[in-house]
Amino acid sequence: MVLPRRTTCFRLGSLALVLLGVRLAWAQSPTTEQRRSLEQLSLARARAELFEQLGPLRLDRAVSIAVWQRSDGEVRRALRLWVRTLAPEGPPRLYSDGICATDIHVSAEQVGDVLLELLGGDTETVNNVTLNHSTVLAAARRWTDQWATGRAGLDALPRRGRALGWEQVTREGLGLARRAASDDASAALAVRAGQLSLGEGRRLRGFIESSSAVRAAVQAELLRAATVTIELEPDPLALATARIDMRELLRLLTRVHQQHYGGEEYAVSDFRRMLLEYPEEELAARGIGLPPESTILYDEVTSQEFNAPAWVTETLRASGRYVPPDGEQLGAELQVAIARLDGIEQLQRDCAELSLKPGGVTVADFLAYHQDLKDDVVLFFSGARLRGESAQLPAGGCTVQIELPLERLWQILRRRVQLEETTP
């Protein structure tokens, strides 16, 4: 096979095309509903991946975020729910092979702020290590920004009657996840109730913990009176919401007080005051439940690639610069966008020199022969990530650092690479 002579230019599309993140015509022509489902599923997978990435971040030599979560269910629940609120970074990238990719990003400072909010003004001891305000701040300064990419293809969309993202979860796993979410929401509701103010610096928690009989009675009454609704989210994750009317809460607290409380510190009038001061008509809390790993079905046979180039697992990095011409005044956001495009051009040049195999055809050569892949490669470059904050230049303008994982580039190219199947 004779390839055409390499061109000296590797600009695969206009800068405006890269900046806007074009949406391509799909080879498999998905419907509008399918596109929406792919975007939801890829975003959910990105959030789930980011949550896992936060676990190894160290708060101390002996304590990571994952260790703290395992020792405190409230921290695990709150952090997972927070990650699920993160918006996508840029538009989803819809490739012509039916793959949708969505990025999310969180800064080290944002993670630190969330953990400080979970601590409040208190301290917590985990593995004999005291976590406090200064511990979290010092740890956050050592962390780097976290990026995650979620991908979903048309083959991941569920059959009719199945929840999005739960295609490979067994019925047993679905039931276990629902029960776990319901129990978690009920526990969260009890914690939420304990935080209600009774005035004079007192909390309902004090009454609930006044004796084991009172605590057991309140928990049983809450479990009986609360209404729990469950939604299956595409993470896959079961999200439960437990609610109780404040008037019903007053009634059950009054019963427990009359039947089980023998002290003098708390009176029924304290509960009436609590009801009058609480601004909402109901108390609500959310809980989460995950299907056990053993209830998720995976393909028994997985393919392995022996011809993938070594750079597939690498991440390319580049620096972009914007220097304003004389008299040009642009906003900081637009300056960063232009500098990012400059960095993308550098990434394009670096990718052009990559070889599909040692001493073999380069990416530029391959794309010159397979013109139909160029649109997808342009879209691939639009996913270049900013690393850290931009730096201002003394004479005006700015520089930015960007990075781009190369795995997706190979997935695009291999559609036209001759593959050979073999058995181990």
Side-chain angles (χ1 to χ4, degrees), residues 306-315 354-358 406 410:
F306 297 98
N307 63 333
W311 49 260
V312 169
T313 58
E314 296 179 1
T315 297
L354 296 174
S355 297
L356 299 187
K357 62 180 179 179
L406 295 176
W410 169 243

Side-chain angles (χ1 to χ4, degrees), residues 17-46:
L17 195 61
V18 176
L19 178 62
L20 294 176
V22 294
R23 299 197 175 199
L24 304 173
W26 288 50
Q28 302 185 41
S29 301
T31 64
T32 301
E33 183 179 352
Q34 286 176 325
R35 290 191 181 198
R36 189 182 302 113
S37 296
L38 287 173
E39 291 178 7
Q40 291 174 352
L41 186 55
S42 62
L43 176 58
R45 288 178 173 178

Side-chain angles (χ1 to χ4, degrees), residues 30-67:
T31 64
T32 301
E33 183 179 352
Q34 286 176 325
R35 290 191 181 198
R36 189 182 302 113
S37 296
L38 287 173
E39 291 178 7
Q40 291 174 352
L41 186 55
S42 62
L43 176 58
R45 288 178 173 178
R47 287 169 171 167
E49 180 182 332
L50 183 66
F51 179 77
E52 296 300 324
Q53 289 178 199
L54 296 180
L57 297 180
R58 289 280 170 184
L59 294 162
D60 185 86
R61 285 186 178 182
V63 177
S64 64
I65 292 180
V67 171

Side-chain angles (χ1 to χ4, degrees), residues 1-217:
M1 178 176 65
V2 179
L3 295 176
R5 184 176 57 86
R6 283 183 53 195
T7 58
T8 58
C9 180
F10 189 62
R11 298 185 64 180
L12 300 177
S14 68
L15 295 183
L17 195 61
V18 176
L19 178 62
L20 294 176
V22 294
R23 299 197 175 199
L24 304 173
W26 288 50
Q28 302 185 41
S29 301
T31 64
T32 301
E33 183 179 352
Q34 286 176 325
R35 290 191 181 198
R36 189 182 302 113
S37 296
L38 287 173
E39 291 178 7
Q40 291 174 352
L41 186 55
S42 62
L43 176 58
R45 288 178 173 178
R47 287 169 171 167
E49 180 182 332
L50 183 66
F51 179 77
E52 296 300 324
Q53 289 178 199
L54 296 180
L57 297 180
R58 289 280 170 184
L59 294 162
D60 185 86
R61 285 186 178 182
V63 177
S64 64
I65 292 180
V67 171
W68 189 15
Q69 290 181 70
R70 286 195 292 270
S71 68
D72 192 328
E74 292 179 47
V75 172
R76 175 189 60 84
R77 181 193 310 115
L79 192 58
R80 185 94 192 207
L81 291 174
W82 171 71
V83 169
R84 296 190 75 259
T85 67
L86 296 176
E89 190 77 13
R93 297 184 297 282
L94 307 176
Y95 292 94
S96 63
D97 59 352
I99 299 295
C100 178
T102 301
D103 297 326
I104 58 172
H105 162 255
V106 65
S107 67
E109 183 180 5
Q110 285 176 289
V111 179
D113 289 344
V114 170
L115 298 182
L116 288 175
E117 186 176 340
L118 293 177
L119 271 177
D122 303 328
T123 61
E124 190 162 340
T125 301
V126 181
N127 281 9
N128 297 320
V129 174
T130 300
L131 302 181
N132 52 34
H133 190 274
S134 59
T135 303
V136 173
L137 283 180
R141 285 193 288 268
R142 299 191 298 267
W143 300 335
T144 59
D145 290 5
Q146 299 295 315
W147 283 86
T149 300
R151 296 184 180 88
L154 290 172
D155 58 345
L157 298 185
R159 300 184 300 273
R160 181 171 298 180
R162 299 281 291 180
L164 182 66
W166 292 76
E167 184 72 9
Q168 292 183 298
V169 180
T170 65
R171 290 185 179 274
E172 179 191 10
L174 190 150
L176 291 172
R178 292 175 67 93
R179 285 196 290 274
S182 179
D183 293 344
D184 195 45
S186 298
L189 186 64
V191 172
R192 185 85 175 82
Q195 297 170 344
L196 294 174
S197 174
L198 300 180
E200 301 175 355
R202 296 178 303 165
R203 301 283 179 183
L204 184 57
R205 183 190 305 111
F207 169 72
I208 295 174
E209 299 296 332
S210 60
S211 72
S212 59
V214 170
R215 180 173 62 252

